[in-house]
Amino acid sequence: MKLLTNQIGIKGILEVPGDKSISHRSIMFGAMAKGTTTIRKFLRADDCLSTKAMFEELGVKIDDDGDIITVHGTGVNGLKPANKAIDIGNSGTTIRLTTGILAGSSFTTVLYGDESIAKRPMNRVMLPLQEMGAICRGESGTEFPPITITGTPNLKGISYKMPVASAQVKSAILLAALQAEGETVIEEKEITRDHTEDMIRQFGGQITVDGKFIRLQGGQELTGQDVIVPGDISSAAFFLVAASILKDSQLKLINVGLNQTRTGIIDVLTDMGASMTVSEDDQQNKSGSITIETSRLKAVEIGGDIIPRLIDELPVIALLATQAEGRTIIRDAEELKVKETNRIDATARELAKMGAKIEATADGLIIDGPTPLHGAEVTSYGDHRIGMMLAVAALLVEDGDVDLAKPEAVSVSYPNFFDDLSQLIER
Ligand code: S3P
C-alpha cells in the first residue's frame, strides 16, 4: 500500500476507538460475573472480537446491537467446554488472560492463534497457574501455542514474585486467584497497567494494592456492571506523535483513557518539550482530552519504571526521537522482543530504511536526531503498531514514495486508522 507522504500537518478533533485492554477485560469480567454487563464504546477490532467470539464458544450469551454489547454473565464457574479448539487470532491478551480464567474450570480447552501467536512465550502464565493446580502445556513439550489447559475447581492461592513486568501475567494470575481457595499475593517486578485491579473493584470484588504488592482473597463473586470504554491512549499515541513532528499541526484528542499506568508517553512528550495540555475531564472513568501542536523537541533517556507505562508506544516514540535534537536512549525494554513481532528489531530496521539514525541494542534503541526521512519499501511484519508507526513516519517524507507491506495488520487494534489519519491531513 502506498502511504500518504509529504504532509505539512494534521489539524482537527479526533476521538480514537476504545481501549483494547479494557475492551478485552469488559467481556471477560462480564462473562465471569453474575447478571448482565453492558459495554459501550467497545473496541470493534480483531483482537477484542476474538475475545468476544471465544467467550461465546465457552457458552456465554453475548448480544450486540452494533452500539451496546450485552454480556449475560455465567458466574465464575458457569463456563461450558467448547466443542473444538478455539482460534484467538493475533491476540496475546486473549490467550494469556483466558488461560487464567480457564485454570479454574472443570474441563479441558485448547487455544491457538496465528503465526505470531505461535511464537509468544506462555510459560510466564503457565508456570504460576500450574503452581495453583491447573494443568497447562504448550505444543509438543514447548511453551508455545497451541496450548491445552485442563482446569480444576480446586485451585489454590499462591505467593508469586513476578520474573517479568507484565500486566498480562499479573492479570492471568488474578483471574485464576478469584476462583482459588485462600489468598494470592503477587509481587510485581515493576508496576504495570492496572485495568484488571480496577475492574475487580468495579465488579464488586475486593483487592488490596500496596505499591508492587497485590493481595486478593479467593472465592469472590462478581456482579455485572455498565462499562464505558475510554479511548485507547496507545492508539492516540500515533496522532500525538504526528501532530508534534509535522510542521503545522494542531490537534485535540477527546475521551482518551488517562489511567496513569498508561500515560508514560505524556511524560516523555512533556520531557521532550512538546506543546501539549492534558485535562482529565472524567476522573471516575480516568479519561479526558489532550491538545497538542507542532513542537521543538529535544532528546531524552527512557528506562526503568516508566517502561511498562509506555511499552506499546515505544515504536512510535522511536519515530518521535528521530525528529528530536540530540541522542535518545531507550533501555530496559527487552519485553519488546516478545510482542507481536520483535519490535526492537522491526522499528530499527524499517526506520533505518527511511534514513533514520537508529540502532537496536540488547534492551532498547539509540536514536540520533533530527533526521529527514526519505521514501522506502517497508513492512509492518504483520504487527499493527509497526504499521501505524510507519504510516506516521511516511507523512514526513518529502522525497520518494513509501510502500507499506502488510498494512491490513492495523485492524488488530484500529481498523479505521488510515481513514482517521487522512481526515486530519491538511491539504
Ligand atoms: C496488555 C499488556 C501488555 C501490552 C498489551 C496489552 C494487557 O502486555 O503490551 O498490548 O492488556 O494486559 P504485557 O503484559 O505482555 O507487557
Side-chain angles (χ1 to χ4, degrees):
M1 171 182 175
K2 283 248 185 313
L3 294 173
L4 278 173
T5 54
N6 203 8
Q7 297 298 324
I8 54 165
I10 60 171
K11 285 208 168 137
I13 299 180
L14 177 70
E15 180 172 2
V16 293
D19 188 276
K20 184 156 83 65
S21 295
I22 298 176
S23 294
H24 282 301
R25 287 164 174 79
S26 62
I27 297 271
M28 293 173 182
F29 276 85
M32 289 176 78
K34 284 239 158 83
T36 303
T37 290
T38 62
I39 312 167
R40 287 176 172 74
K41 303 202 177 199
F42 179 80
L43 173 61
R44 287 164 197 284
D46 296 351
D47 264 17
C48 300
L49 294 171
S50 291
T51 292
K52 176 171 170 279
M54 124 150 333
F55 280 91
E56 286 173 322
E57 298 214 39
L58 292 167
V60 181
K61 186 169 178 304
I62 304 178
D63 298 322
D64 183 357
D65 70 3
D67 180 23
I68 301 172
I69 290 190
T70 306
V71 185
H72 302 276
T74 56
V76 181
N77 304 316
L79 297 177
K80 304 255 171 353
N83 48 23
K84 55 179 180 6
I86 305 179
D87 180 2
I88 53 79
N90 186 250
S91 182
T93 309
T94 309
I95 198 165
R96 294 207 176 109
L97 271 60
T98 308
T99 302
I101 295 174
L102 291 171
S105 71
S106 48
F107 49 84
T108 297
T109 310
V110 179
L111 304 177
Y112 71 101
D114 66 8
E115 260 172 51
S116 151
I117 279 292
K119 295 188 202 130
R120 307 287 297 271
M122 287 298 291
N123 267 348
R124 48 182 59 201
V125 291
M126 295 198 298
L127 296 177
L129 295 174
Q130 271 160 0
E131 239 180 87
M132 296 176 86
I135 303 172
C136 320
R137 60 187 160 75
E139 170 82 332
S140 26
T142 72
E143 64 166 309
F144 300 106
I147 58 159
T148 305
I149 307 136
T150 303
T152 168
N154 302 315
L155 283 179
K156 300 264 180 304
I158 51 167
S159 280
Y160 195 71
K161 188 171 173 173
M162 303 232 324
V164 284
S166 163
Q168 291 178 353
V169 176
K170 169 179 68 175
S171 301
I173 300 170
L174 288 174
L175 291 166
L178 279 170
Q179 311 168 65
E181 193 190 307
E183 190 185 45
T184 291
V185 183
I186 301 174
E187 181 183 351
E188 288 205 82
K189 188 170 178 212
E190 295 287 357
I191 293 174
T192 60
R193 67 187 67 191
D194 61 0
H195 304 300
T196 301
E197 295 89 313
D198 276 355
M199 258 192 201
I200 288 173
R201 290 189 202 98
Q202 187 185 354
F203 279 71
Q206 283 185 356
I207 184 163
T208 312
V209 181
D210 181 9
K212 291 181 183 164
F213 286 87
I214 304 167
R215 291 173 186 275
L216 181 120
Q217 267 304 328
Q220 297 194 39
E221 280 213 343
L222 303 172
T223 313
Q225 298 294 318
D226 298 321
V227 178
I228 305 176
V229 182
D232 198 327
I233 191 161
S234 299
S235 298
F238 300 102
F239 300 96
L240 293 172
V241 169
S244 58
I245 62 182
L246 291 168
K247 274 187 223 117
D248 184 21
S249 295
Q250 219 166 20
L251 181 70
K252 181 171 187 180
L253 295 164
I254 56 169
N255 185 31
V256 187
L258 295 172
N259 175 319
Q260 62 135 343
T261 60
R262 297 283 300 282
T263 49
I265 185 157
I266 292 178
D267 296 3
V268 165
L269 279 161
T270 305
D271 289 352
M272 286 180 134
S275 315
M276 181 181 57
T277 55
V278 180
S279 101
E280 192 174 349
D281 310 321
D282 182 347
Q283 285 184 359
Q284 205 193 337
N285 216 25
K286 300 187 180 172
S287 63
S289 55
I290 308 174
T291 56
I292 186 155
E293 57 191 35
T294 310
S295 306
R296 233 190 124 94
L297 302 167
K298 56 179 191 300
V300 284
E301 295 201 4
I302 304 170
D305 59 8
I306 197 173
I307 294 293
R309 297 179 55 232
L310 44 64
I311 188 75
D312 289 339
E313 289 65 78
L314 284 168
V316 81
I317 288 174
L319 167 65
L320 183 70
T322 68
Q323 304 309 306
E325 183 77 42
R327 170 165 285 193
T328 292
I329 301 175
I330 300 171
R331 52 170 75 92
D332 305 320
E334 48 280 272
E335 273 296 300
L336 284 183
K337 293 182 185 170
V338 290
K339 294 293 177 190
E340 285 81 332
T341 185
N342 178 334
R343 287 184 176 160
I344 292 182
D345 288 354
T347 301
R349 200 175 303 131
E350 299 314 293
L351 284 177
K353 284 184 193 167
M354 297 177 72
K357 293 187 185 131
I358 181 166
E359 193 190 309
T361 64
D363 67 347
L365 292 157
I366 298 176
I367 306 118
D368 288 303
T371 316
L373 299 182
H374 57 65
E377 282 185 16
V378 292
T379 176
S380 74
Y381 298 89
D383 181 329
H384 54 136
R385 300 200 199 283
I386 299 293
M388 291 187 274
M389 179 275 285
L390 292 168
V392 175
L395 300 174
L396 289 171
V397 168
E398 291 175 21
D399 166 22
D401 289 333
V402 183
D403 217 323
L404 174 68
K406 302 194 178 180
E408 66 286 348
V410 306
S411 68
V412 158
S413 64
Y414 199 158
N416 291 330
F417 173 75
F418 293 113
D419 290 344
D420 282 359
L421 185 61
S422 66
Q423 271 182 23
L424 296 171
I425 295 290
E426 275 283 279
R427 285 176 199 283

